[in-house]
Amino acid sequence: DAGITQSPRHKVTETGTPVTLRCHQTENHRYMYWYRQDPGHGLRLIHYSYGVKDTDKGEVSDGYSVSRSKTEDFLLTLESATSSQTSVYFCAIRLGDTQYFGPGTRLTVL
Amino acid sequence: QKEVEQDPGPLSVPEGAIVSLNCTYSNSAFQYFMWYRQYSRKGPELLMYTYSSGNKEDGRFTAQVDKSSKYISLFIRDSQPSDSATYLCAMSGLRQGGSEKLVFGKGTKLTVNP
C-alpha cells in the first residue's frame, strides 16, 4: 500500500458543511494526488502536489481546495459540501513513473 | 474522442478461461502504460507497468502495448475467482516538469465463476 493511509475512511455529512480529508504517507514521496471515483466517470484528478506548499489543479478541482504544509500530509477540503461531491476519494503517491493508491474515503453528502 | 476508452463490461467468464481486457487511446504522446486491479471497496492496486511498446509477462498476467494501433491489452491466463475485480488501464506521456499525470480508463468489471 506504499505506506498511505487515509482518514476518515467513511464520512456522512450534510450539505453546506466543511469537510477535510487527510492523506498521510510515511515514505517521504514528493508527489501526492487526490482523485474521486464515481460510477460512469472512473478516476478523476482533483488536485495534486509536487512538494510542500506546491499544489496545482486537476480536471475536477471546482469546490475543492488542498494544502500541504509538510511532506507526509496532503489535505483535501470541501469548503461547503454539496450532494454532487458524494463520492469515493482516493489519495495516491507517485513512485517512479507509476502511482500507488491509498484505501479510499467514502464520503456521503446528504 | 475521449483520450482513453475502455469497455466497462461486465465480463463474466468460467474459471480457467483466458481473459482479454483492452483499452484504446488517442494521444500518441503516451509512453507509460499501466494496469490496475481494484477489488470492491478497495483502492486500485498496480498490477502491470509497461514502458513504450512490447509485451511484459508476470505469472498469469501479460500486458501488451501496440503503439501503432494505440491499443493496449491485459491477458489473464487460467483465470481464478480471486481475479474477480475491476481492471483499470492508465497511461501517461513524457514527463513535463516531473508532475506527470495519469489518464485512466473507466474500468472493466470482471467476474470469474467457479
Side-chain angles (χ1 to χ4, degrees):
Chain A
D1 63 358
I4 305 169
T5 57
Q6 293 185 234
S7 59
R9 295 295 312 281
H10 300 87
K11 186 171 183 65
V12 179
T13 191
E14 294 190 351
T15 298
T17 59
V19 176
T20 296
L21 308 183
R22 180 184 184 231
C23 178
H24 179 76
Q25 54 119 341
T26 59
E27 299 180 9
N28 211 35
H29 299 292
R30 180 180 174 191
Y31 294 94
M32 299 182 74
Y33 306 81
W34 275 108
Y35 292 87
R36 60 178 290 175
Q37 187 175 40
D38 305 286
H41 291 279
L43 279 163
R44 293 181 290 175
L45 182 65
I46 305 172
H47 281 280
Y48 65 99
S49 169
Y50 46 97
V52 173
K53 299 191 190 302
D54 292 323
T55 64
D56 205 348
K57 296 178 180 179
E59 63 178 306
V60 290
S61 59
D62 286 349
Y64 301 95
S65 63
V66 289
S67 65
R68 193 167 178 202
S69 59
K70 45 186 178 178
T71 300
E72 58 266 35
D73 288 326
F74 191 30
L75 304 180
L76 177 71
T77 297
L78 292 65
E79 301 290 348
S80 177
T82 68
S83 58
S84 65
Q85 293 175 313
T86 292
S87 187
V88 182
Y89 291 86
F90 289 102
C91 174
I93 58 92
R94 185 179 125 192
L95 187 63
D97 299 309
T98 62
Q99 294 181 18
Y100 292 82
F101 287 81
T105 293
R106 189 168 295 268
L107 177 68
T108 302
V109 183
L110 301 176
Chain B
Q1 182 183 8
K2 296 187 188 301
E3 272 197 299
V4 178
E5 300 267 13
Q6 183 176 11
D7 187 337
L11 184 61
S12 182
V13 302
E15 182 174 354
I18 296 173
V19 176
S20 172
L21 304 167
N22 311 293
C23 287
T24 59
Y25 63 95
S26 57
N27 189 343
S28 58
F30 288 146
Q31 296 281 342
Y32 306 93
F33 303 92
M34 284 138 272
W35 285 96
Y36 287 83
R37 177 175 62 194
Q38 186 175 22
Y39 292 115
S40 181
R41 295 184 170 264
K42 300 290 187 183
E45 165 194 14
L46 182 66
L47 194 59
M48 299 285 282
Y49 161 66
T50 310
Y51 170 69
S52 193
S53 284
N55 292 1
K56 185 174 184 178
E57 188 173 322
D58 183 1
R60 297 185 294 111
F61 299 90
T62 299
Q64 287 186 352
V65 175
D66 181 349
K67 290 188 69 182
S68 63
S69 301
K70 297 189 178 68
Y71 188 88
I72 69 170
S73 300
L74 177 71
F75 296 97
I76 307 174
R77 291 183 298 280
D78 187 25
S79 56
Q80 302 295 310
S82 59
D83 295 327
S84 298
T86 296
Y87 290 81
L88 307 166
C89 64
M91 47 199 80
S92 66
L94 296 174
R95 294 185 186 180
Q96 297 170 358
S99 56
E100 199 50 59
K101 287 171 273 188
L102 295 183
V103 180
F104 286 87
K106 293 182 180 179
T108 300
K109 185 173 183 179
L110 170 68
T111 301
V112 181
N113 301 298

